[in-house]
Amino acid sequence: MKYVSTRGKAPDLNFEQAMLTGLARDGGLYVPEKYPTLSTEKIASFSTKSYEEVAFEIMKPFVGDTFTDNEFKKIIKLAYAGFSHRAKCPIVQLSENHFLLELFHGPTLAFKDVAMQLIGQMFEVALKRRGEKVTIVGATSGDTGSAAMEAFKGLDSVNLFIMYPHGRVSEVQRRQMTTPNESNVHALAVDGDFDTCQALLKDMFNDFDFRDEVKLAGVNSINWARVLAQVVYYFTSAVAIGAPNRKVSFTVPTGNFGDIFAGYVAKKMGLPIERLIIATNQNDILHRTLKTGNHTKSGVKPSISPSMDIQVSSNFERLVFDLYKRDGAKVIELFDALKNDGSFTLSDEAIKLLNDEFDSGCCSDSETSEAIKKYFDNMGEVLCPHSAIGVNVAESQISQIPMITLATAHPAKFPDAVANACGITPDLPSHMADLYERNERMTRVSGDLKALEAIIRKGIK
Ligand SMILES: *Cc1c(COP(=O)(O)O)cnc(C)c1O
């Protein structure tokens, strides 16, 4: 399988290269040259297979010969060994036609573990074989960073630096990033919001001297391997409730558009998905884009669902590439306008294609709190604020077609928002019960690229 850049000006890569590179050198994102399709019989056969077996079959065509079959099976097994639920990503029924897909049974209690645990193992095997060492720098609104710390800590072939917006992540998220002892992982508290962190990261990738000097690699949701790992649970959950014989829809709490893009890929591969519904908080740029075709940044407004406090949804570029029939020049034009003028407007045809695939809804903080309270009062289900946004938006869209809403984090990761909404303070699972007693370690950084690069240079071991 070959990977091409959404901006059409970087060399095509194989899976291993695309995984280790992250952002393409022309500023674009890597996508497969084409999507493999699975037959109905193949999809039906998943109903008797384990999560790991399905993961292997779905990802294998994308991974190509980067790993032998045995190697890849071992990687998958190790990746999901730390999940606390036997099904890995189980579903719970909320009402007759509404299901919750629980993606928070990994080590850091958010869906980011599903991809990050796999990427950690894949990097380790690929880098050991190449005899190389890389520097991974990531930007996080909270959950990616903790998942990456957990997945990469202690690995010989990786130095990891995670930037998060100072004061804008939950205490559990911060502590998950600042408490690992391993000397190859570093938490960087940036003065600014998530978009500041993400812009710094992009600029760092575009500083080719630095990029080559430290062998920069990325594991943000722009990394294709992460999107790929997330395609798997669309299949397992849909099959569990009757696909491919019946259609399903998905509602996805969305920030960077990585998770829902994985749903789009599943559909392209032949999973019979009726609708893909984007659920946002008050940072509703995607919701507005669907309604008006106008993709306009407005400042990030902090919410009680901080992992979705994002205005520049980086993976949206992958979709725009498809909306414009894979015309890289058009993508450059639009995303240059977004960078320089803060907005672009989609063509009428692109708006139509977008609305053919997706619907959207958004939720204020008070609606989110009400949804948490309602589900707790009515059925004892404690939702994290992100999952509550999904459930609330899904409710307004439920039809005859069964709906699966993605529960993206465990409620204990956002205890204050949950307690304020429904009076319950969810307990942390036992493996992190002493999180509040552990020592914290982090470096404060300004929004200055050169200063940041100096800190990274110094921290590499
Ligand atoms: C990252 C995250 C999201 C948003 O996912 P995207 O792939 O960025 O759209 C939603 N909820 C939680 C809990 C998250 O950690």
Side-chain angles (χ1 to χ4, degrees):
M1 172 84 65
K2 266 203 317 197
Y3 290 83
V4 299
S5 166
T6 51
R7 302 200 180 178
K9 295 202 155 141
D12 295 351
L13 301 180
N14 67 19
F15 177 80
E16 179 170 325
Q17 293 163 328
M19 172 181 83
L20 294 174
T21 303
L23 194 68
R25 284 183 100 91
D26 58 2
L29 281 67
Y30 278 104
V31 288
E33 190 181 33
K34 59 178 187 299
Y35 292 106
T37 51
L38 303 178
S39 67
T40 308
E41 297 74 44
K42 181 68 154 184
I43 296 171
S45 77
F46 293 163
S47 67
T48 57
K49 296 199 161 111
S50 68
Y51 188 87
E52 289 91 332
E53 286 167 333
V54 177
F56 176 83
E57 295 208 15
I58 287 172
M59 294 191 287
K60 180 68 195 169
F62 292 96
V63 169
D65 56 7
T66 294
F67 306 111
T68 65
D69 284 3
N70 275 340
E71 234 172 9
F72 194 38
K73 282 179 185 162
K74 218 165 108 193
I75 285 170
I76 293 170
K77 187 152 185 257
L78 276 174
Y80 299 115
F83 277 57
S84 61
H85 196 289
R86 205 154 39 118
K88 312 306 172 195
C89 303
I91 48 179
V92 168
Q93 189 159 14
L94 295 176
S95 64
E96 194 186 339
N97 258 341
H98 193 185
F99 301 82
L100 193 67
L101 172 57
E102 293 185 349
L103 300 174
F104 51 70
H105 295 282
T108 70
L109 312 182
F111 85 91
K112 305 291 197 298
D113 288 324
V114 177
M116 208 62 85
Q117 285 291 318
L118 185 81
I119 281 213
Q121 300 302 327
M122 292 199 294
F123 264 69
E124 178 77 342
V125 173
L127 289 170
K128 279 231 162 103
R129 184 172 57 211
R130 295 159 76 112
E132 279 177 18
K133 196 161 176 159
V134 297
T135 304
I136 295 177
V137 183
T140 185
S141 56
D143 296 325
T144 295
S146 43
M149 287 272 172
E150 198 61 41
F152 288 94
K153 67 183 190 189
L155 297 188
D156 297 329
S157 42
V158 172
N159 280 292
L160 175 72
F161 295 83
I162 292 294
M163 295 185 269
Y164 66 89
H166 180 67
R168 300 208 190 190
V169 297
S170 84
E171 186 172 359
V172 175
Q173 289 176 319
R174 188 192 74 232
R175 286 181 170 276
Q176 285 179 331
M177 292 187 277
T178 57
T179 58
N181 288 324
E182 288 79 356
S183 59
N184 71 320
V185 296
H186 307 266
L188 307 177
V190 175
D191 292 324
D193 56 29
F194 172 69
D195 285 348
T196 313
C197 299
Q198 192 157 253
L200 271 170
L201 186 68
K202 267 207 148 176
D203 290 344
M204 196 182 299
F205 268 94
N206 287 324
D207 178 350
F208 293 136
D209 289 341
F210 183 77
R211 182 171 177 170
D212 294 337
E213 175 195 335
V214 303
K215 288 200 160 42
L216 197 59
V219 293
N220 260 71
S221 65
I222 53 173
N223 192 305
W224 170 256
R226 280 192 51 193
V227 174
L228 176 59
Q230 294 167 8
V231 174
V232 176
Y233 49 67
Y234 284 90
F235 278 92
T236 55
S237 61
V239 167
I241 64 164
N245 297 319
R246 69 170 173 170
K247 286 190 160 189
V248 296
S249 291
F250 286 92
T251 300
V252 187
T254 299
N256 237 335
F257 208 75
D259 207 3
I260 195 160
F261 189 78
Y264 166 83
V265 173
K267 188 171 179 181
K268 288 259 172 219
M269 292 176 71
L271 188 64
I273 297 177
E274 177 76 9
R275 306 299 299 163
L276 284 163
I277 297 158
I278 299 164
T280 74
N281 64 22
Q282 58 203 331
N283 297 291
D284 61 349
I285 181 168
L286 292 168
H287 180 57
R288 284 184 279 119
T289 304
L290 249 80
K291 297 283 167 286
T292 66
N294 199 293
H295 194 68
T296 304
K297 285 195 268 187
S298 58
V300 172
K301 299 186 213 92
S303 75
I304 59 169
S305 44
S307 307
M308 292 158 58
D309 288 348
I310 291 170
Q311 281 288 328
V312 181
S313 298
S314 49
N315 277 289
F316 191 58
E317 178 166 336
R318 290 193 156 108
L319 184 70
V320 169
F321 186 52
D322 278 3
L323 296 179
Y324 283 87
K325 310 278 185 323
R326 303 206 142 197
D327 178 352
K330 199 68 208 175
V331 172
I332 292 175
E333 189 187 311
L334 294 173
F335 283 85
D336 277 354
L338 184 66
K339 186 165 182 180
N340 299 330
D341 316 328
S343 81
F344 62 71
T345 302
L346 293 171
S347 68
D348 289 347
E349 195 192 346
I351 296 171
K352 182 179 175 304
L353 288 174
L354 177 63
N355 282 282
D356 283 349
E357 300 286 351
F358 296 91
D359 290 301
S360 66
C362 69
C363 246
S364 66
D365 276 355
S366 60
E367 288 166 324
T368 308
S369 295
E370 278 163 32
I372 294 173
K373 179 163 169 42
K374 184 173 123 189
Y375 275 82
F376 177 67
D377 288 350
N378 291 353
M379 55 185 299
E381 183 73 34
V382 183
L383 298 167
C384 95
H386 312 80
S387 312
I389 288 171
V391 164
N392 199 44
V393 167
E395 258 187 8
S396 65
Q397 310 245 1
I398 288 179
S399 63
Q400 304 299 80
I401 311 246
M403 173 72 76
I404 300 175
T405 297
L406 275 52
T408 49
H410 190 289
K413 216 163 175 180
F414 304 92
D416 297 341
V418 173
N420 289 337
C422 72
I424 290 284
T425 303
D427 286 334
L428 284 169
S430 56
H431 74 269
M432 49 175 88
D434 67 342
L435 187 66
Y436 287 87
E437 279 103 66
R438 295 181 202 163
N439 284 331
E440 292 192 77
R441 177 172 63 95
M442 48 112 136
T443 308
R444 284 287 293 275
V445 299
S446 68
D448 179 63
L449 181 65
K450 290 293 162 196
L452 176 64
E453 290 178 349
I455 288 169
I456 290 173
R457 226 178 248 119
K458 224 174 111 211
I460 291 175
K461 64 165 192 111

